[in-house]
Amino acid sequence: MKLQTTIPLKPVITQIDYTSAIVLLGSCFSENMGCKLEYFKFQSLQNPFGILFHPLAIENLIAKAVQKKAFSEEDIFFLNERWHCFDAHSELSDPSSEKLLQKLNQGLQETNQQINRSTHIIITLGTAWVYRKKESNSIVANCHKVPQQEFSKELLNVEEIRKGLENIVNLIGSLNEKAQVIFTISPVRHLKDGFVENQRSKAHLITAIHDFLSFRAQSSNCTYFPSYEIQMDELRDYRFYTSDMVHPNQLAVDYIWEKFKEVWISPEVYPIMNKVEAVQKGLEHRPFNPDSEQHQQFLKSLNEKIKYLQDRYFHMKFITT
């Protein structure tokens, strides 16, 4: 008896290996995938400006990074004893304006450098709902708990999103025309917008991406990975969500990662991934008796495994105690 429908997937040609350089931008689900890539010690840069939920926020920061437009004091503001930037997530906010600007401009520099050398850029779109600051008539990435009446809420239409995606790809191509751009939709449900509103939002994002990909049918450097569809169609059960019934739980994240791995990770590096995972699990091990001979032998073996990997892959760094 078949109890599940599965989305047909097949491996791509331009797969990721340990020579690849990866950039991940977008919704919090991009951080789920980014954490997996970091865990297995791939070369990646993940959300240097924090979580970005909608496509115009991603477009704005890629434009600043590519065009080397630095942030200045005019781009930040003070509220609730911290300095913030409407273009970035609140995790970058800081009590010091100088430190915030330093973090923002360092993020631009890192993004520029990584796009320049990247082989794969993964962009995860979370919502088509945006907030426009009435005073400046500009769409923000994050409201930072500024009073709601200072914003108007809008749903981006399909054409606005499609144009944003086109601008993103063109900006990336101006620095690195060989980079593979992978679009995906976050399976996180934005129910604060409303149940129907969330579905409208996801529908706009999906339609815009596929309209854009159809327009670029002759180009092989842009593609789509069905994270949202896997969650909705293969994992059709609330046991695959966290207790908030909004975010995919770890089991769901692991499942979607395995699907991503089948499509995008070269099988040639699976043995190295297994070695990395063995080291990671070893580093998580907590002995009953740290001074025992058995544990000292364990540490010696673990250090040999780390040395083996680092001698072959210089970018790999492991946190040891």
Side-chain angles (χ1 to χ4, degrees):
M1 181 183 295
K2 187 175 182 180
L3 299 176
Q4 183 189 42
T5 57
T6 55
I7 297 171
L9 298 171
K10 60 181 181 180
V12 296
I13 297 173
T14 54
Q15 290 184 312
I16 293 168
D17 60 27
Y18 279 105
T19 66
S20 303
I22 308 149
V23 180
L24 299 103
L25 298 169
S27 162
C28 49
F29 189 73
S30 68
E31 304 216 328
N32 295 140
M33 294 296 101
C35 287
K36 288 289 188 181
L37 290 166
E38 168 60 25
Y39 180 84
F40 287 104
K41 297 303 174 185
F42 289 93
Q43 301 180 72
S44 62
L45 175 68
Q46 173 185 319
N47 274 346
F49 302 98
I51 294 167
L52 302 173
F53 294 102
H54 64 78
L56 300 193
I58 299 169
E59 177 195 352
N60 177 50
L61 285 172
I62 289 179
K64 282 183 178 292
V66 170
Q67 297 164 3
K68 297 183 178 180
K69 293 183 177 179
F71 285 97
S72 67
E73 292 183 359
E74 296 178 355
D75 300 310
I76 62 177
F77 65 96
F78 191 72
L79 179 70
N80 296 329
E81 302 182 27
R82 293 170 69 83
W83 288 89
H84 310 272
C85 177
F86 281 125
D87 291 335
H89 193 270
S90 55
E91 69 181 50
L92 273 74
S93 299
D94 198 281
S96 164
S97 61
E98 291 81 5
K99 288 183 179 178
L100 173 57
L101 286 173
Q102 182 181 7
K103 286 188 282 188
L104 290 168
N105 288 318
Q106 182 180 344
L108 290 177
Q109 185 177 5
E110 289 177 350
T111 304
N112 181 289
Q113 292 172 348
Q114 193 75 352
I115 288 175
N116 243 313
R117 62 184 290 266
S118 64
T119 56
H120 299 78
I121 299 175
I122 303 171
I123 295 177
T124 305
L125 306 182
T127 183
W129 288 102
V130 299
Y131 288 88
R132 185 182 297 275
K133 190 80 165 63
K134 293 178 182 178
E135 183 180 3
S136 61
N137 195 36
S138 58
I139 291 174
V140 303
N142 196 293
C143 295
H144 300 293
K145 298 185 178 179
V146 172
Q148 185 99 22
Q149 60 266 27
E150 296 189 24
F151 302 91
S152 61
K153 185 177 180 181
E154 304 173 12
L155 180 65
L156 296 174
N157 63 44
V158 171
E159 183 58 20
E160 288 173 315
I161 299 167
R162 192 198 66 77
K163 286 182 178 178
L165 302 181
E166 184 176 357
N167 290 338
I168 287 171
V169 172
N170 288 338
L171 285 162
I172 291 169
S174 70
L175 279 186
N176 181 354
E177 61 183 14
K178 295 182 179 180
Q180 180 79 45
V181 181
I182 306 164
F183 289 107
T184 188
I185 303 293
S186 169
V188 176
R189 305 160 73 212
H190 290 250
L191 295 186
K192 288 183 179 180
D193 293 322
F195 284 82
V196 174
E197 291 79 2
N198 173 66
Q199 294 292 72
R200 290 181 65 197
S201 167
K202 299 292 190 187
H204 282 210
L205 295 175
I206 293 169
T207 302
I209 288 177
H210 289 286
D211 280 358
F212 171 69
L213 293 178
S214 296
F215 177 74
R216 291 181 64 93
Q218 294 180 345
S219 173
S220 61
N221 74 320
C222 296
T223 189
Y224 181 74
F225 179 76
S227 301
Y228 175 79
E229 291 80 359
I230 291 170
Q231 180 78 29
M232 294 296 109
D233 289 300
E234 295 193 25
L235 306 178
R236 297 176 61 88
D237 195 302
Y238 279 109
R239 65 194 170 102
F240 296 111
Y241 286 87
T242 60
S243 59
D244 65 5
M245 299 298 160
V246 169
H247 292 81
N249 62 16
Q250 192 58 53
L251 181 60
V253 170
D254 292 344
Y255 184 91
I256 297 173
W257 163 255
E258 287 299 321
K259 294 289 186 176
F260 181 85
K261 178 181 170 184
E262 290 174 16
V263 175
W264 281 104
I265 307 295
S266 171
E268 293 180 4
V269 301
Y270 288 3
I272 302 299
M273 293 175 70
N274 292 337
K275 292 180 186 297
V276 171
E277 186 169 32
V279 169
Q280 296 284 39
K281 289 181 176 179
L283 292 171
E284 293 171 0
H285 176 69
R286 294 294 176 263
F288 290 112
N289 183 2
D291 298 322
S292 68
E293 182 178 346
Q294 182 182 18
H295 183 62
Q296 295 308 309
Q297 287 295 324
F298 170 81
L299 291 178
K300 181 181 178 181
S301 173
L302 181 61
N303 287 328
E304 288 173 353
K305 292 175 183 177
I306 292 174
K307 186 176 185 304
Y308 172 87
L309 290 168
Q310 291 181 333
D311 285 347
R312 288 157 178 78
Y313 305 97
F314 301 124
H315 69 274
M316 289 191 182
K317 307 293 180 187
F318 294 94
I319 299 174
T320 57
T321 55

